[in-house]
Amino acid sequence: MKLFNTSLFFLLAILCFSCSDKSEEEQPKQEEIVKLLQASIAEGEEVDADQTTSITLSYNTPVALSAKTKNLITLNEVTVSTESSKTSNLDIIVNMSLEPGKKYTLNIPTGCIVSTKYTKATAPDFILNFTTKKSDSKDDNFPNYTAKEMTQHL
């Protein structure tokens, strides 16, 4: 019986130490990590609302939108339309409609943008804050009078 217990102990010890740590296998290699290289709008930038209809995000590896999570991409907590670029497999396009004189926050959670080259690699969280220029229109502070009303004030 003592021989059986000793054998069983050594067998369990060998099994415990021979199993590899799977957490090391699950970590992507350096070349597999999805990194944002450039955004067409910089953090804190002020943009023209009329001229800015999208943000282009450029990555270090071919990327796509995850079908499961792409609806989690938001601008001021409202889901926005996103698409993979038709001209570059490294780019994601975030479409938007902006208003003058407002603050905006683009939020892209982890898992929304995935590598097409490495199946388990995803881009990390991305948050971008920017503002739009106030309207240059001088008519914003004045009521809209008809021609007849304007002549009455003369």
Side-chain angles (χ1 to χ4, degrees):
M1 187 68 163
K2 186 175 184 181
L3 180 60
F4 175 75
N5 287 340
T6 305
S7 299
L8 183 60
F9 173 77
F10 283 116
L11 180 63
L12 288 173
I14 291 170
L15 286 174
C16 287
F17 291 110
S18 66
C19 294
S20 65
D21 183 8
K22 293 192 178 200
S23 65
E24 289 179 19
E25 293 174 13
E26 294 172 3
Q27 297 297 322
K29 296 176 185 168
Q30 188 65 28
E31 68 272 9
E32 296 175 1
I33 296 174
V34 180
K35 293 180 187 171
L36 179 67
L37 298 178
Q38 182 179 359
S40 60
I41 296 177
E43 176 67 26
E45 185 174 352
E46 184 179 67
V47 299
D48 187 327
D50 294 332
Q51 301 296 319
T52 308
T53 59
S54 66
I55 299 174
T56 301
L57 305 172
S58 300
Y59 290 88
N60 65 322
T61 188
V63 290
L65 293 160
S66 168
K68 295 178 185 177
T69 59
K70 76 176 193 174
N71 62 340
L72 298 177
I73 299 173
T74 61
L75 184 67
N76 287 2
E77 300 181 1
V78 176
T79 301
V80 289
S81 166
T82 53
E83 60 186 317
S84 296
S85 172
K86 293 172 179 63
T87 58
S88 171
N89 63 356
L90 301 174
D91 295 344
I92 298 293
I93 311 292
V94 179
N95 299 304
M96 56 195 175
S97 177
L98 304 175
E99 297 176 23
K102 286 189 74 174
K103 293 181 181 181
Y104 288 95
T105 299
L106 175 67
N107 184 19
I108 304 176
T110 299
C112 291
I113 298 174
V114 297
S115 170
T116 58
K117 193 172 180 182
Y118 304 104
T119 57
K120 292 186 179 184
T122 66
D125 286 342
F126 176 69
I127 297 174
L128 175 68
N129 297 290
F130 63 96
T131 59
T132 52
K133 295 176 185 175
K134 291 183 179 177
S135 176
D136 288 338
S137 174
K138 294 179 182 175
D139 294 338
D140 287 347
N141 296 325
F142 298 100
N144 292 328
Y145 291 117
T146 63
K148 183 178 179 181
E149 291 171 326
M150 289 179 73
T151 56
Q152 291 175 351
H153 293 289
L154 292 177

